[in-house]
Amino acid sequence: MFIIQPHYHAIARTCQDYERMAQSGVVAVAEPAFWAGFDRDYHETFLDYFKQISEFEPTRAAEYGIRHFCWVAVNPKEADNLELARSVLKEMPKYFDRPTVLGVGETGLNKSTQNEITVMEEHIELSIRYDQLLLIHTPHLADKLKGTRIILDVLKNFPKLNRDKVWIDHVENHTVKMVKDNGYWYGFTLYPITKCSINRCADMIEQYGIDRLLVNSSADWGPSDPMLLQQSIQELTRRGHTRDEIIEIYHNNPVKYLTQCPKFDIKPIKFCT
Amino acid sequence: MQTSQQVIDTYFLDMRHNLLELCAFFDRYDVAVKRSGQPTNIERYRMLTDALSIVADKDNPNRAETLLNLLSDQT
């Protein structure tokens, strides 16, 4: 199996995770900029983080034969600090030219405050100005429904935005239809307890199909598991889904989306019997 | 797609486990309320008891979606 993990917080994980992923068929990961678990005080801390995910982490992944790509952004958890967010946004274009940076992400909303919305809008503007892919995080738990609606409303205000380049992540049963109907790429993020379970992921694949779907397991520093992607493949296999369909979901769909950034040079594959 | 028989055969033990955990949770809560003399977090407790009627609604083909909507901030 050849798996692309399009949303993976590698710096929070050990080399053993890379090893297990490589052994189970993962060929590439893409790491969006994330919250550190505490709110950072200095914009330089973000810049060092961008350096870590765009320079150092690809070398660590390469030890296991895995390609590592990344995204840069001020994540929504820290976007309420307008001054700090803007000082980081100002520096972000420097990173767009780096060989493994795919675009702007993950921006989006957490508690859907006005400052978060403003910072998300500024990320969207930046992605349009520099023609970057755009990865949008939807809020957690009780905040997801309202936040997703706001995100879709905000996106409507950007007529120049190419929807093919926008991926709205962490959708669940109650938000998948509204995101899909608006023409965006959408992600199911597999977690042991929160977000999407492997069974509900398979249910939604059967209900909504696989067009524009990006399955990922995020795997950050909290309770999470990079191997949930492999478990979801096992669940689909158990339900009788074909290997061709599984390759489309876990390899070729990420390729279709991510190759819109020419730096992502992995080709689609076909299973021959 | 699985047949209904396959769905039952595949997930029965998992769902048995989940239902048992649910019952044990409500038992645990009731014991705690009895011990302390007063219930707490009534709103979250009510959400969970409301969810039970969604689980039992055989006419709703989108129970997971309905449950997530129930658990969402509606403001």
Side-chain angles (χ1 to χ4, degrees):
Chain A
M1 185 52 68
F2 292 87
I3 301 167
I4 293 171
Q5 164 68 282
H7 186 145
Y8 183 66
H9 296 295
I11 71 156
R13 313 297 305 195
T14 64
C15 287
Q16 191 181 31
D17 287 323
Y18 273 134
E19 188 173 40
R20 287 190 302 150
M21 290 197 299
Q23 287 167 350
S24 57
V26 172
V27 294
V29 301
E31 177 157 17
F34 188 46
W35 186 50
F38 67 99
D39 291 347
R40 286 164 274 209
D41 292 326
Y42 311 102
H43 84 272
E44 292 90 345
T45 319
F46 284 83
L47 305 185
D48 274 341
Y49 172 48
F50 296 161
K51 180 180 173 187
Q52 182 181 12
I53 60 177
S54 64
E55 290 182 18
F56 172 67
E57 204 56 40
T59 65
R60 203 164 71 104
E63 293 287 321
Y64 300 90
I66 293 175
R67 302 279 305 278
H68 180 283
F69 298 87
C70 70
W71 311 70
V72 291
V74 178
N75 70 87
K77 287 276 277 187
E78 287 166 291
D80 217 30
N81 184 339
L82 208 52
E83 190 185 347
L84 180 67
R86 282 182 168 151
S87 60
V88 179
L89 274 155
K90 204 173 149 190
E91 303 280 347
M92 275 171 47
K94 290 179 192 167
Y95 295 86
F96 295 152
D97 289 334
R98 294 206 171 177
T100 56
V101 175
L102 299 174
V104 174
E106 50 188 317
T107 181
L109 297 177
N110 177 45
K111 291 292 178 188
S112 300
T113 65
Q114 187 51 56
N115 279 358
E116 288 177 23
I117 292 169
T118 301
V119 170
M120 179 176 70
E121 287 171 334
E122 292 178 12
H123 277 86
I124 297 168
E125 283 164 9
L126 202 62
S127 76
I128 294 170
R129 197 176 328 137
Y130 289 89
D131 193 25
Q132 297 290 307
L133 293 176
L134 178 65
L135 168 52
I136 297 180
H137 161 100
T138 57
H140 300 275
L141 302 171
D143 301 312
K144 186 179 295 295
L145 182 64
K146 179 182 170 184
T148 305
R149 285 177 178 150
I150 295 171
I151 286 166
L152 292 174
D153 284 344
V154 167
L155 288 171
K156 279 180 192 156
N157 297 327
F158 291 89
K160 286 185 182 167
L161 183 67
N162 179 356
R163 289 180 182 195
D164 292 337
K165 291 195 166 189
V166 181
W167 163 17
I168 298 180
D169 206 10
H170 321 316
V171 306
E172 291 187 67
N173 306 66
H174 58 327
T175 55
V176 56
K177 190 171 184 309
M178 66 177 89
V179 173
K180 188 177 164 65
D181 286 352
N182 275 279
Y184 299 107
W185 285 82
Y186 60 100
F188 299 152
T189 306
L190 307 171
Y191 268 80
I193 301 292
T194 58
K195 295 198 175 85
C196 189
S197 69
I198 56 170
N199 287 331
R200 283 194 292 120
C201 170
D203 293 340
M204 288 191 283
I205 284 170
E206 288 169 355
Q207 190 172 358
Y208 295 100
I210 63 170
D211 185 40
R212 294 191 174 228
L213 169 63
L214 297 164
V215 182
N216 61 91
S217 63
S218 183
D220 50 48
W221 40 259
S224 54
D225 182 357
M227 298 302 284
L228 286 175
L229 271 187
Q230 289 78 346
Q231 288 180 35
S232 72
I233 290 171
Q234 190 180 18
E235 173 63 17
L236 288 172
T237 304
R238 184 163 68 174
R239 293 188 186 199
H241 291 265
T242 64
R243 191 143 290 197
D244 282 340
E245 191 183 3
I246 287 168
I247 285 172
E248 284 304 309
I249 299 168
Y250 294 88
H251 187 279
N252 291 345
N253 270 8
V255 166
K256 274 181 216 160
Y257 175 70
L258 295 170
T259 51
Q260 293 181 90
C261 171
K263 288 181 256 178
F264 193 90
D265 55 1
I266 297 175
K267 307 288 180 218
I269 56 172
K270 193 167 172 56
F271 183 65
C272 298
T273 51
Chain B
M1 297 284 262
Q2 295 172 299
T3 65
S4 56
Q5 187 61 51
Q6 285 171 325
V7 172
I8 290 292
D9 290 345
T10 306
Y11 303 104
F12 179 78
L13 279 178
D14 279 350
M15 293 309 110
R16 178 188 180 279
H17 166 79
N18 290 346
L19 287 169
L20 197 54
E21 287 296 312
L22 199 59
C23 290
F25 162 79
F26 282 110
D27 290 347
R28 203 177 305 138
Y29 178 83
D30 289 344
V31 168
V33 169
K34 208 169 175 180
R35 198 187 309 123
S36 66
Q38 57 179 19
T40 50
N41 280 323
I42 286 297
E43 193 182 337
R44 297 180 92 180
Y45 177 80
R46 192 173 296 131
M47 268 188 193
L48 293 175
T49 54
D50 288 351
L52 296 178
S53 61
I54 295 170
V55 174
D57 183 2
K58 286 190 283 188
D59 296 326
N60 181 354
N62 295 309
R63 278 172 276 205
E65 181 182 342
T66 309
L67 177 62
L68 284 167
N69 280 323
L70 170 77
L71 300 175
S72 296
D73 175 4
Q74 301 293 343
T75 59

